[in-house]
Amino acid sequence: MARYIFITGGVVSSLGKGLASAALGALLQARGYTVRLRKLDPYLNVDPGTMSPTQHGEVFVTDDGAETDLDLGHYERFTGRPATKQDNITTGRIYQEIIQKERRGDYLGGTVQVIPHVTNHIKEFVLEGNEACDFVLVEIGGTVGDIEGLPFFEAIRQLGNDLPRNHAIYVHLTLLPWIPTAGELKTKPTQHSVKELRSIGIAPNILLCRTDREIPREEKRKLGLFCNVRESAVIEARDVASIYDVPRAYHEAGLDREVLAAFGIEPAPRPDMRRWTAVSERTHNPEGEVTIAIVGKYTGLKDAYKSLTEALTHGGLANRVKVNIDWIESEIFEGGDPAPHLEHVHGILVPGGFGQRGAEGKINAARFARERKVPYFGICFGMQMAVIEAARSLVGVPDANSTEFGPTDQPVVGLMTEWMRGNELEQRKSGGDLGGTMRLGAYRAILAEGSKIARIYGTTEISERHRHRYEVNTDWRARLEAKGLKFAGTSPDGLLPETVEFTDHPWFIGVQYHPELKSRPFDPHPLFASFIEAAKAQSRLV
């Protein structure tokens, strides 16, 4: 039977519960256990799909088409286990499903309440489908004391009693702030956070304390005493140089040992940390460095491109180089020369996005990369802007555009209303709901024999994750290919363009999907490895 680890947070948000959960999952894997990670989000959105990236960070998409919290990206990158729509749930989705049941009469006329109906729904979600797992790690979003999180805390409190003895523990992540004027770490915020947690019936087994310096023995003793945990279970979670140092740092601090001890698993199996030792060694001992410009529209919040930046890091690991990222707001290129901002970079990446703002800047960035022979990687929207640039500059249609920006007589990119998913036809209406209505999840693509992208993948059949509503119009294919922009990959039926590339350019590739979602530090995505390799070659020319 699976054992459950509930990870909660206190004091302040953004302490890194997702990373802590992912790192703990990786450590349990290193000891030979199978793990599953799930995220409970208290917000009222059904999923983060309609939320602005500047508010919530990126939307992570799973193979089965779920739009989920970015923490699921951490889970996948650290454990290598693909997430599914059953690994992330929100208050909005819970209430949506409960109200649907109520409307059908499933509650047989009973009064529907938070307890037991909402809490039972949460418990069912947590427990479902874990038969093949040794450990299930469940992260609760937000911080203890948040009003919207109360049903989730109540549900995991109940699970502590429902599950057999020694089958559920609680890990509480808090902050130990350093007060310069006092010259000491302060434990009082953590004490108050644990007091709040205990007031709703949850006693943490382990404290994971975020800090920028070593925790003195006396402070550990005080925390153990006042928070009612063993001193050895007060784990130092000190800041590290790279997120890929976190598993080793937590292991050395004793987190995985204390978790297994809390379950009564002693002696614990010995861990195999070679994978993470190798990743850390490559991270801290690069043999060079490259600079990549990310020309985007959400650059004010780096989490909006979290999987992207990590995939670039993985590409650097594959080539033993450090990847420096130059964040550039695409709007600054509109009506101006991009050269002063891009002449020094070794590669240009234009990521996904929605809406007209900044689009012309991305088109200008694609033109600069094409004309100056700088490696260019266009992802989703970035591919569409590169195709529009080619239609304007090479085919000679200055009005070429996307219907996403309004009516146009030259629709190089248009709204998809139907497409095939396997053997099933999916359809959407232009005026329908926005949430969950894009082409989402894993789709197969066929790559042309002899194309650059087929050589990079080492195969002509791939499966990648999508998240988009607009598509390049294949009516333009012949004219664009006559000018050197090859449609190197398409959907299996040949109707939807999946990849484009310039045959006379050192490295210019656009993809309609999101390859960054499947990259891992110990298994870098081939496109990112190849892109950074091209940037490495470019660095010798700049």
Side-chain angles (χ1 to χ4, degrees), residues 476-487:
W476 290 74
R477 179 172 182 171
R479 283 178 285 176
L480 287 164
E481 290 197 327
K483 297 299 182 179
L485 184 61
K486 182 178 181 178
F487 284 50

Side-chain angles (χ1 to χ4, degrees), residues 16 21 48 59-60 72 144 185 188 210 260 274 282 294 302 337 342 347 367-368 380 402 418 505 542:
S21 303
V59 175
F60 189 81
L72 272 73
V144 61
L185 288 170
K188 194 62 71 176
R210 282 298 307 274
L260 294 175
R274 288 177 295 180
R282 281 184 171 250
I294 294 182
K302 305 304 185 287
D337 182 8
L342 297 176
R367 179 181 297 115
F368 178 91
C380 195
S402 170
E418 61 182 43
H505 192 285
V542 174

